[in-house]
Amino acid sequence: MMVLLLIALTSTISHAAPANKQAEAAKTESSAHRRENSADVDAVGRIIARYAKSIDAADITLASQIWWDSPEVSFIHPLGHEHGFDQIKQNVYQRLMGQTFSERKLTPRDIAIHVYGDAAWAEFYWDFNAKFRKDGQSITTHGRETQIYRKIKGSWRIIHVHYSGMPTTQPGQGF
């Protein structure tokens, strides 16, 4: 019986040491990952700033520098669901932003960025101020947005945007 107890104790100690080393390695890897992510988080933050500028100017050239030019990208918004960068350029940048509004100002705030290897997402709130092209009337809206990114050939690109208005507070709304 004592021999079995010694064998079990020895086995536990020999397995505990690698587990501790694994935990230490995971901590070190996690710290290195955080440092590495810091540059990626900053890069994604710059993409968000450039995205806002591309909306402000309805600038397809700037948009093409931050979006992945692929039929796989998508953009979900209250007026529709665009599939592929060609639809996003046409329906979001040209029609909605360019033809509908004569002035635009998108201000992202409360930005949270999450990076996992070559994938990332950001969530933020925004304020949008614009003037309608047809009559010069001003509009101000507020909403929230999630953007998903992929690191492609060393550069972050937007692959999906989903935005919506702010939560409703009236009973029976928002369902």
Side-chain angles (χ1 to χ4, degrees), residues 109 125-127 141-144 164-169:
R109 60 182 170 79
Y125 290 87
W126 49 259
D127 302 308
T141 59
H142 309 282
R144 51 200 169 158
S164 61
M166 295 299 285
T168 60
T169 57

Side-chain angles (χ1 to χ4, degrees), residues 44 48 111-114 120-124 145-149:
V44 170
I48 295 168
I111 300 168
I113 299 169
H114 314 273
W121 83 87
E123 48 192 302
F124 55 88
E145 190 161 314
T146 301
Q147 295 185 350
I148 300 174
Y149 311 86

